[in-house]
Amino acid sequence: MIHVQFNIGSTNVVAFAALNSQNPGVITIANAVFGSDLAINPDVLTKALQLDQNIIKQLQSWFLWDNNW
């Protein structure tokens, strides 16, 4: 499962992640981020990935069957 976190504060933060899976090679990150069944809001992805929102929308259009953005 892909998780997205966003720091809404004005100070730096440190995040720790511990991953454990019986089959870690199954998830394709691009499919999970840009083509998830419940689409991730482009505003969140723009800030998280530090990309232009037009690029995010283009990537989502490639991976989503029904792109509602």
Side-chain angles (χ1 to χ4, degrees), residues 9 14-15 17 19-20 23 25 38 40 42-43 46 49 52 54 63-64:
V14 176
L19 308 172
N20 184 13
N23 194 358
L38 180 59
I40 301 172
D43 293 331
T46 297
L49 301 175
D52 183 81
N54 292 326
F63 289 93
L64 290 175

Side-chain angles (χ1 to χ4, degrees), residues 3-69:
H3 296 281
V4 176
Q5 295 179 343
F6 179 70
N7 178 12
I8 62 171
S10 59
T11 60
N12 292 333
V13 343
V14 176
F16 294 96
L19 308 172
N20 184 13
S21 177
Q22 293 178 358
N23 194 358
V26 171
I27 295 175
T28 302
I29 299 298
N31 290 343
V33 171
F34 300 111
S36 60
D37 289 336
L38 180 59
I40 301 172
N41 187 310
D43 293 331
V44 173
L45 291 176
T46 297
K47 292 175 184 174
L49 301 175
Q50 299 180 4
L51 293 172
D52 183 81
Q53 191 172 48
N54 292 326
I55 293 172
I56 297 294
K57 289 181 179 182
Q58 181 178 16
L59 289 167
Q60 285 183 319
S61 74
W62 294 345
F63 289 93
L64 290 175
W65 291 102
D66 181 20
N67 191 349
N68 295 318
W69 299 108

